Amino acid sequence: MHRLFIAALRAGIAAAFLLGLFGQLVVIPTTASDEVERFPPHAPFAAAYVAVAVVGVLCVQVALAAVWMLLGMVERDAIFTRRAFRWVDTVIGAAAVATLLAVGVAVHLAVAEIPSPDDGMELIGALGAAVVGVGIAAAFAMLVVVMRGLLRKATRLQTEMAAVV
């Protein structure tokens, strides 16, 4: 893979990581505080939802760090080794945790008696967003599992070819 392409990917990963950090430290707590100010009955739910959102962003950051490491392995032409599986498994684990967080939020929104300031449309929108989040996170985790299988086959083939040559 071309070094310039890897550098561009790493710049994007670094920017996404820093943007996530800004979200964790500023955007998520501020948004929750503003929501509680606007509608005080949401106060009992604020801390839990802030924690879930921060951990969700952390899952993305862990996956980004693993992709960073995989890019380094690609750059060194060492991607078809056993070490690569550890980083791919890290991405799968982060996606699985994010999926479980989204499932928990969706279930809580569906069954809890959460007060709504208007006609309940905000709650329905949040539930819809959580369900979509579950679908996206689960699909991503399954995609990476399939890609892991392809990496396993490619690693096996390269090992066999090295033994023949």
Side-chain angles (χ1 to χ4, degrees):
M1 192 177 282
H2 196 270
R3 286 190 184 275
L4 185 60
F5 187 65
I6 290 175
L9 285 171
R10 282 191 166 166
I13 289 171
F17 190 90
L18 291 173
L19 188 63
L21 192 60
F22 177 73
Q24 288 170 310
L25 297 175
V26 177
V27 175
I28 294 170
T30 302
T31 303
S33 175
D34 290 347
E35 183 64 24
V36 167
E37 238 178 69
R38 188 175 78 79
F39 192 67
H42 283 171
F45 306 102
Y49 277 100
V50 166
V52 168
V54 167
V55 173
V57 173
L58 179 64
C59 290
V60 173
Q61 290 171 319
V62 167
L64 288 171
V67 170
W68 182 285
M69 297 304 292
L70 287 167
L71 280 173
M73 295 182 80
V74 167
E75 193 172 35
R76 293 186 309 274
D77 201 27
I79 193 68
F80 297 115
T81 61
R82 291 255 179 239
R83 285 187 46 219
F85 289 98
R86 176 178 14 185
W87 296 112
V88 173
D89 289 342
T90 300
V91 174
I92 293 169
V97 170
T99 303
L100 291 175
L101 288 172
V103 166
V105 168
V107 167
H108 183 259
L109 289 172
V111 300
E113 293 292 327
I114 300 175
S116 184
D118 297 320
D119 57 355
M121 287 307 291
E122 287 180 352
L123 184 59
I124 292 170
L127 178 59
V131 170
V132 168
V134 169
I136 290 171
F140 178 74
M142 290 184 285
L143 174 67
V144 177
V145 168
V146 169
M147 298 301 285
R148 185 186 191 283
L150 293 173
L151 178 63
R152 181 185 309 121
K153 287 182 182 184
T155 303
R156 190 177 307 131
L157 286 173
Q158 185 179 19
T159 304
E160 289 175 11
M161 290 300 289
V164 170
V165 175

